[in-house]
Amino acid sequence: MEIAEHWLTGCKHCPSPNYDGRVAAVIDSVVVHNISLPPGEFGGRHIEALFSNVLDPALHPYFAEIHHLRVSAHLLIDRQGSCCQFVGFDKRAWHAGRSSYQGREEFNDFSIGIELEGSDHVPYTAEQYLRLAEVITLLKRHYQAIVDENIVGHDQIAPLRKTDPGPAFDWLRLRGLLIAIGETT
């Protein structure tokens, strides 16, 4: 994979209408999220449908509650480690919402949002950790203001609203992979 014109090559592209221009000129953070639709269920194309504003509310009771939302992330990594990009990295995806961390607010303005298909209490797969580390390594090379201290969870930037990626996410494992991949590239 590489980054060409702010899109990952070797990655499925599903452009979302849910983005706008960035306020901040410098991209310096990555926010890790989780998502599963319906909650706790994996597989299918429901996440793509949500981020594309075509989620059918009749398919599941939960979908009737959320189909009106206009949200997106830059990237989704599924349970097999495959990725789908929804928004160019140079654009402002709508993933963080109201957010604040270390004196900074509105993380959508300067971050890249990466969703992992998962839930707070279900272990993530080895394939997801590896793909996430590969993608973050590419992002750090391309957007050189991204540093390890700015790789955060949604729960860190919106602690009163969000819990993802949750206690099942192994930050030490991700950090170890980032070091290992960085040494081999």
Side-chain angles (χ1 to χ4, degrees):
M1 286 188 310
E2 292 297 326
I3 297 174
E5 297 183 27
H6 306 286
W7 287 81
L8 282 177
T9 61
C11 179
K12 182 178 179 180
H13 295 167
C14 301
S16 171
N18 303 327
Y19 71 91
D20 52 15
R22 288 194 182 270
V23 175
V26 177
I27 299 166
D28 67 7
S29 300
V30 173
V31 179
V32 179
H33 302 263
N34 75 35
I35 188 169
S36 58
L37 292 178
E41 296 183 24
F42 307 129
R45 299 178 57 107
H46 303 306
I47 299 167
E48 290 176 25
L50 175 66
F51 290 169
S52 301
N53 302 338
V54 295
L55 184 64
D56 184 347
L59 291 178
H60 190 276
Y62 183 68
F63 297 171
E65 298 174 28
I66 66 165
H67 79 279
H68 67 283
L69 297 176
R70 298 299 175 249
V71 294
S72 62
H74 291 93
L75 194 67
L76 167 70
I77 300 174
D78 71 16
R79 305 293 291 175
Q80 293 73 42
S82 296
C83 56
C84 181
Q85 188 168 354
F86 297 94
V87 176
F89 297 128
D90 61 328
K91 303 299 182 199
R92 183 180 180 268
W94 302 342
H95 62 95
R98 285 199 174 135
S99 48
S100 177
Y101 181 69
Q102 295 184 341
R104 300 173 75 197
E105 296 186 8
E106 303 303 328
F107 266 67
N108 284 340
D109 291 344
F110 49 83
S111 69
I112 292 172
I114 301 177
E115 295 275 2
L116 299 176
E117 184 180 33
S119 61
D120 289 6
H121 301 286
V122 175
Y124 296 90
T125 67
E127 294 84 2
Q128 286 178 299
Y129 282 108
L130 182 57
R131 179 66 68 199
L132 179 61
E134 291 170 345
V135 167
I136 290 174
T137 299
L138 281 172
L139 291 171
K140 287 172 63 177
R141 270 196 229 121
H142 198 82
Y143 306 99
Q144 295 182 354
I146 296 174
V147 295
D148 289 342
E149 297 77 34
N150 291 348
I151 301 168
V152 296
H154 201 189
D155 57 341
Q156 292 173 271
I157 65 168
L160 300 178
R161 295 185 308 108
K162 298 296 180 176
T163 59
D164 59 310
F169 189 77
D170 187 342
W171 285 101
L172 290 176
R173 184 175 186 175
L174 174 61
R175 302 281 183 218
L177 284 167
L178 288 171
I179 291 168
I181 291 171
E183 290 174 353
T184 61
T185 57

